Amino acid sequence: MESGMYDLIVIGAGPGGYEAAAHAGRLGKRVAVIEKQYVGGTCLNAGCIPTKTFLRSSRLLAECRNAAAFGVRVPAAELDMPAVIARKDRVVATLTRGVEGLLKRTGVEVVRGTARLVSRSEVRVDGRPYTARNILIATGSRPSVPPIPGIQSSRVLDSTSVLSLPEIPARLAIIGGGYIGLEFAGFFAAAGTETTVIEVLPRIASGCDADISARLLQALRKSGVRFLTSCAVAAVDGNTVHYRDENGAAASLCADYVLNATGRVPVLENLGLEEVGVDFTRRGIRTSDQGKTNVAGVWACGDVTGRRLLAHAAAREGIVAVNNMFGKPDRIRYEAVPSVIYTHPEVAGVGRTEEELKAEGIAYRKSLAPMALAGRFLVENEAGMGVVKVLAGEKYGEILGVHAMGDLSSEFIVAAAAMIETEMCAADVAQLVFPHPTVSEAMKEAILQLAH
Amino acid sequence: MATPVEMPKLGNTVEDCLIARWNKRPGEAVAAGELLAEIETDKATFEVTAPLDGTLLEVFFNQGELVPVFTYICVIGEPGESVEPFRPSRAGQPAAAGPAEPPAPRQAAAAPAAQTAQAAAPPPGAVFYSPRARRFAERHGFYPAPAAGSGPGGRVLEADLRRQFHETSRTSFLAGRLVESGQEVRGEGSGLNRMVLARDLAPPPVRLSGVREKIARRMRDSLAATAQDTLHTSAAAAGLLALRARVKAARRQKPLADITIGDMVMFCAVKALVEMPELNAELIDGSLYRHASVHIGFACDTPRGLLVPVVRDAHRRSLGELSERAGELARAAVEGTIQADDLAGATFTVSNLGSFGIESFTPLLNPPQVAILGVDAIGLKPVRRDGKVEFEACIGLSLTLDHQVIDGAPGARFLKRVRERIEEIEEICGLEL
Ligand SMILES: Cc1cc2nc3c(=O)[nH]c(=O)nc-3n(C[C@H](O)[C@H](O)[C@H](O)COP(=O)(O)OP(=O)(O)OC[C@H]3O[C@@H](n4cnc5c(N)ncnc54)[C@H](O)[C@@H]3O)c2cc1C
């Protein structure tokens, strides 16, 4: 068996698993990644990438409808759902080949099957034993199914099954106003579906800064999405969603389909975690900032840790774990992990929100700049809404959080992440040159307002 | 025939070398194999030796100059021969007519060939930078703490500095400002490329205040100059608690000092001291001074640290008077208005940690005093009475004595006296409530 020993076995080929495996492969290690379903994981096959291709189509549709404002006449634009799905499949196929190529180039062995830990150094894949000095668990997450009567009915979709809906429904009810629910709401509303989002909290996108989430609510309402906030779904009965409104009164809503977007839970079942003694809770496997679990030689990264359910966080966690297991100290710093919601307008943020600063008792200053300050924003968006909010330390002006709404904030938020990583202060940002004309200039403007 | 000497290529990546030192001057005779110059790459020092016998006709570069490899650096030949065919052309400037600055005369004209390798070690503490290293330091404004380099005799080479420059942790923008404002770096940076972040900083150590310094010295001296031994016991506290309850009730009716349990124990200690003056004493230069008067010091926690105000002539005071005076002094100590006179002259000390729930401790003596009484918390203790176990409120007492002059037995007798006084406090206090 010793001769067959791997340096690393990764369970799950999502962004956490495949990035880690490829990184270890590049370091010259003997690596296998075990995947039961699809290389690329949720992200590539049922998450980030498919939803972004859908949203690209709906955005193009909205742009066509608004094309006259840009001096372009487009006759009747409409969505061709089978073609949208076909394009998504093409993009996914291309990217999957890319990941497979990456694993091949880096010498990573891909093993198809379902893995289960039997000890800290042995994994069984559908019964076959594999041994390794290190095991990295990257099994990801799946949609949560809350205990709502009727949620199992065939009219209730989740974020995966909705991706293969061949038709545009006339009416769609979405349970959950988190980023997944909001992205689908934006897509279907643009496609002409009468879309209603039911959210139990008084606000949507609850991880976002409250100012931004309020503006996003307004923007999405304007684009035709209906919101029922502070409303708790009680049951789903055929085409009807029963809920309690903000006053606790019973109410209901009819829809052709219901999308369950209530969040995601880590994939922990049948992994042998109990037998090997790996510490976990309902929310995920407990890990250190180095990616270690409580069991030596067993590591975890990505959604299965329940820390930040984002593809780029998963990838970084995986690489950090690999670095540590092969003797290079590394750690992930969650303070500077950006997050994006790809609605139209899109939302991007990094660092702490104003609510978090208040809760932690950190003294701060803030500024809010309209994106229309940046010429490029007007050029690109015509009448679109956009704003950048910056939070900085009271005394030294160190950048604590940057939260933006407006297209293409996702493309420049990484600059804010770098500022937070290096603890730049607002005054230091004056030394950076921002290209002109770009939307990022609005961020510069907002930061420089705090530079004194 | 005039023969040029070129700068050798010392390694694949070396593009230029620095002339560290000329060992011969133009006009001097040289023998084949004799050391002409010491040269340096960024990683090591080397030697250039004369390829043949002759006279050093001219050197084309000064000490400290960086010369591309394969460039002629000097010419050896017969006096009078022309060196012009070999003079390297220098970009943009006419060829130098010769070393502008004559090489420093060496101690001995004929330096041994192995000179560089066995260069004398620098005197302790001094660190020599090679010329290339010095140049690097100047360009980068980088002057790390002195440490021996990897060159001969511990000379710091450019490569040493480059490595250190890379390894030196940089500070984040914010951490830089915080360091400027006095914070100090503790441990390795936790940011990108080991960047020192704000969370890697800590406040600088705090210099002890005058009062604290004094306390520290007294505590050290106390332990150094005495032989401390602590005895623990406890006394039934029913009387104390009853009296305290009556005081509280009475205070609702009329003005009265707030007599605390600590005051009561202090009062009992005074009574016991009057009976056993050997503990109301000071040991000075081998003589034991017993005092008839009891001046009782009590430890007091103040914002500036521990102070010990003194109630003078405590033996003449009633419980009410003792308590009132102690209260006044404690307030003054906390507010910082206490007079120096009221902090000196105690013959015995009481230290009360009972209100913090401390069950027993070892109070430190205030020399030259020979004893100190610690007052502990009141707690329940099981006692057997008529064959049954009952719980009784008891107060702990911890007496530290200087075993140089007070043995265990007299110390224990004293504690017993204190205990008896505590248990009969209601009868002896003389309070009319
Ligand atoms: C609709 C939607 C949109 C999203 N959009 C974004 C976005 O825009 N940006 C973003 O950053 N994130 C987005 N996410 C989240 C992102 O997809 C996840 O954070 C990311 O996929 C997590 O990566 P992972 O490697 O931890 O797990 P996964 O990607 O879930 O991969 C885990 C893999 O492990 C395999 N596996 C599980 N158990 C076993 C086993 N026992 N044996 C073998 N294989 C196993 C699974 O088949 C799967 O392939 C989205 C998610 C959804 C659902």
Side-chain angles (χ1 to χ4, degrees):
Chain A
M1 201 73 253
E2 188 58 29
S3 64
M5 185 116 176
Y6 289 89
D7 293 313
L8 169 63
I9 285 179
V10 180
I11 308 180
Y18 78 71
E19 288 280 5
H23 184 55
R26 269 186 225 109
L27 297 177
K29 305 295 172 186
R30 184 160 179 237
V31 187
V33 59
I34 302 162
E35 172 55 52
K36 69 172 178 195
Q37 194 178 1
Y38 32 40
V39 168
T42 307
C43 172
L44 224 57
N45 298 281
C48 328
I49 297 300
T51 51
K52 265 81 267 179
T53 64
F54 272 39
L55 287 160
R56 179 67 189 102
S57 296
S58 63
R59 200 169 90 161
L60 189 55
L61 179 69
E63 280 175 356
C64 288
R65 289 187 178 146
N66 194 27
F70 292 80
V72 179
R73 270 199 299 277
V74 178
E78 59 180 292
L79 212 57
D80 173 356
M81 207 50 209
V84 169
I85 293 176
R87 170 167 185 272
K88 175 212 62 172
D89 290 341
R90 273 199 314 278
V91 171
V92 169
T94 306
L95 291 174
T96 305
R97 273 198 306 279
V99 172
E100 284 164 350
L102 171 72
L103 293 175
K104 192 163 186 177
R105 266 199 316 284
T106 50
V108 175
E109 206 176 306
V110 178
V111 178
R112 299 283 172 170
T114 302
R116 183 189 173 92
L117 263 66
V118 293
S119 77
R120 62 175 58 180
S121 58
E122 186 180 341
V123 165
R124 292 259 160 91
V125 182
D126 303 322
R128 282 166 288 144
Y130 288 81
T131 57
R133 291 182 185 83
N134 295 281
I135 296 171
L136 175 65
I137 305 173
T139 51
S141 63
R142 57 176 155 68
S144 76
V145 182
I148 296 172
I151 195 107
Q152 309 279 12
S153 98
S154 63
R155 288 273 138 186
V156 180
L157 308 169
D158 66 19
S159 63
T160 307
S161 54
V162 72
L163 291 172
S164 31
L165 203 61
E167 57 188 12
I168 299 290
R171 292 164 307 171
L172 176 68
I174 299 178
I175 310 177
Y179 79 92
I180 294 178
L182 295 176
E183 287 182 1
F184 281 115
F187 172 78
F188 283 105
T193 300
E194 192 183 295
T195 308
T196 308
V197 174
I198 311 173
E199 167 59 57
V200 67
L201 297 176
R203 49 177 284 200
I204 58 166
S206 61
C208 279
D209 189 89
D211 267 339
I212 299 294
S213 97
R215 281 159 201 268
L216 179 64
L217 180 72
Q218 190 187 24
L220 291 176
R221 273 200 170 126
K222 223 173 122 193
S223 69
V225 182
R226 210 178 134 216
F227 284 94
L228 298 171
T229 50
S230 302
C231 290
V233 172
V236 179
D237 178 9
N239 286 0
T240 313
V241 179
H242 298 280
Y243 64 92
R244 304 209 156 267
D245 70 12
E246 67 248 279
N247 305 315
S252 66
L253 172 81
C254 281
D256 302 300
Y257 285 100
V258 178
L259 172 60
N260 166 27
T262 51
R264 300 185 59 87
V265 292
V267 174
L268 301 162
E269 303 77 18
N270 302 321
L271 270 175
L273 298 179
E274 297 87 347
E275 290 87 328
V276 178
V278 176
D279 188 14
F280 66 93
T281 67
R282 224 159 24 86
R283 314 189 62 197
I285 295 176
R286 268 194 240 273
T287 52
S288 69
D289 288 351
Q290 283 73 31
K292 289 185 175 135
T293 69
N294 61 313
V295 177
V298 179
W299 309 71
C301 71
D303 284 9
V304 74
T305 67
R307 295 186 89 165
R308 294 295 290 272
L309 280 69
L310 291 169
H312 43 278
R316 174 74 185 132
E317 286 167 350
I319 286 170
V320 164
V322 167
N323 280 338
N324 283 301
M325 67 182 76
F326 297 122
K328 181 175 179 225
D330 199 356
R331 61 188 284 177
I332 175 157
R333 288 171 294 272
Y334 292 99
E335 299 88 322
V337 175
S339 57
V340 177
I341 306 178
Y342 295 85
T343 40
H344 180 48
E346 64 186 30
V347 164
V350 63
R352 276 176 283 206
T353 63
E354 191 168 356
E355 297 69 53
E356 286 168 339
L357 292 177
K358 279 188 183 143
E360 290 173 50
I362 296 172
Y364 65 93
R365 287 180 276 146
K366 67 171 163 178
S367 67
L368 203 71
M371 281 202 177
L373 284 182
R376 178 71 185 283
F377 184 75
L378 281 185
V379 168
E380 292 296 321
N381 293 283
E382 193 62 14
M385 299 196 223
V387 68
V388 186
K389 175 173 174 176
V390 175
L391 300 160
E394 163 83 63
K395 184 153 176 213
Y396 296 102
E398 72 276 18
I399 313 292
L400 296 169
V402 175
H403 307 281
M405 183 185 83
D407 294 343
L408 289 162
S409 43
S410 62
E411 290 297 336
F412 63 76
I413 198 68
V414 65
M419 293 172 195
I420 292 176
E421 280 269 14
T422 55
E423 296 184 327
M424 266 194 164
C425 301
D428 304 316
V429 174
Q431 298 178 40
L432 299 181
V433 180
F434 286 66
H436 174 79
T438 59
V439 182
S440 70
E441 289 172 289
M443 173 170 79
K444 177 185 179 183
E445 210 45 59
I447 293 174
L448 292 190
Q449 284 177 19
L450 299 176
H452 42 252
Chain B
M1 208 186 72
T3 307
V5 179
E6 67 178 21
M7 179 62 83
K9 183 163 168 77
L10 300 155
N12 281 335
T13 58
V14 176
E15 293 307 330
D16 44 33
C17 281
L18 187 124
I19 308 231
R21 168 176 283 145
W22 280 110
N23 277 35
K24 294 281 177 190
R25 296 181 199 232
E28 261 185 85
V30 297
E34 220 183 333
L35 180 67
L36 283 178
E38 292 169 35
I39 59 171
E40 245 186 65
T41 68
D42 61 340
K43 296 200 179 56
T45 54
F46 297 92
E47 300 173 344
V48 177
T49 51
L52 73 169
D53 294 345
T55 300
L56 181 60
L57 296 180
E58 181 150 357
V59 304
F60 297 131
F61 297 92
N62 296 328
Q63 278 181 197
E65 276 191 274
L66 213 45
V67 181
V69 297
F70 303 135
T71 306
Y72 296 139
I73 56 172
C74 63
V75 182
I76 296 170
E78 299 301 319
E81 279 184 295
S82 168
V83 302
E84 288 318 311
F86 309 111
R87 186 182 298 283
S89 61
R90 296 199 178 201
Q93 65 179 77
E101 167 199 326
R106 296 291 310 254
Q107 324 79 306
Q115 172 73 30
T116 19
Q118 44 181 245
V127 172
F128 292 129
Y129 277 42
S130 76
R132 276 186 82 116
R134 197 172 317 119
R135 217 177 155 104
F136 180 89
E138 279 161 10
R139 283 224 186 117
H140 295 81
F142 180 63
Y143 300 95
S150 61
R155 193 133 72 125
V156 175
L157 303 184
E158 182 180 345
D160 297 327
L161 285 192
R162 279 190 191 279
R163 196 181 45 248
Q164 274 190 66
F165 188 71
H166 176 69
E167 285 171 1
T168 298
S169 50
R170 270 141 285 249
T171 50
S172 78
F173 295 86
L174 175 61
R177 286 173 173 81
L178 291 170
V179 165
E180 222 172 287
S181 77
Q183 298 253 22
E184 294 187 351
V185 180
R186 300 272 164 86
E188 204 177 62
S190 62
L192 287 173
N193 192 26
R194 271 178 275 118
M195 180 182 282
V196 171
L197 302 181
R199 65 158 165 247
D200 306 318
L201 304 177
V206 181
R207 191 77 229 143
L208 294 189
S209 69
V211 175
R212 194 71 242 175
E213 187 77 70
K214 217 156 134 192
I215 294 171
R217 194 163 357 95
R218 268 219 316 272
M219 294 296 161
R220 263 192 329 266
D221 292 351
S222 165
L223 279 177
T226 61
Q228 310 205 6
D229 181 21
T230 304
L231 309 176
H232 300 282
T233 188
S234 63
L240 294 175
L241 292 170
L243 185 60
R244 174 77 184 138
R246 278 167 56 206
V247 167
K248 272 193 182 163
R251 270 164 58 82
R252 268 180 241 123
Q253 256 86 68
K254 56 184 172 190
L256 180 74
D258 187 17
I259 304 170
T260 64
I261 302 271
D263 295 337
M264 296 175 202
V265 175
M266 184 150 65
F267 178 76
C268 296
V270 172
K271 290 269 174 260
L273 286 169
V274 172
E275 293 170 52
M276 285 190 67
E278 58 265 48
L279 275 89
N280 190 42
E282 290 175 292
L283 174 63
I284 301 170
D285 288 338
S287 305
L288 190 66
Y289 297 80
R290 297 181 185 194
H291 300 294
S293 304
V294 181
H295 305 311
I296 198 149
F298 61 98
C300 188
D301 184 29
T302 77
R304 288 179 301 150
L306 171 71
L307 290 181
V308 186
V310 182
V311 180
R312 247 159 248 293
D313 295 316
H315 59 295
R316 293 218 195 95
R317 298 180 194 254
S318 70
L319 174 55
E321 289 163 353
L322 180 73
S323 165
E324 203 172 325
R325 180 66 185 145
E328 273 168 27
L329 289 168
R331 270 190 299 282
V334 168
E335 285 161 12
T337 55
I338 193 158
Q339 304 295 310
D341 279 355
D342 288 327
L343 292 171
T347 57
F348 185 87
T349 303
V350 174
S351 172
N352 184 353
L353 292 181
S355 56
F356 298 103
I358 296 302
E359 293 174 352
S360 79
F361 67 111
T362 56
L364 289 197
L365 288 173
N366 282 328
Q369 294 166 39
V370 296
I372 178 170
L373 180 66
V375 183
D376 305 323
I378 293 177
L380 290 179
K381 252 177 104 169
V383 286
R384 191 201 292 272
R385 211 168 275 148
D386 306 331
K388 277 192 299 187
V389 175
E390 289 176 3
F391 288 94
E392 188 177 77
C394 287
I395 186 162
L397 300 170
S398 304
L399 178 77
T400 299
L401 41 85
D402 188 347
H403 217 319
Q404 294 182 101
V405 289
I406 315 274
D407 291 334
R413 273 198 290 281
F414 174 76
L415 259 187
K416 181 160 176 275
R417 290 259 153 83
V418 176
R419 191 171 67 212
E420 287 162 1
R421 299 290 92 77
I422 287 175
E423 289 176 353
E424 61 191 27
I425 181 78
E426 285 182 289
E427 290 94 80
I428 64 165
C429 71
L431 266 189
E432 289 179 13
L433 295 169

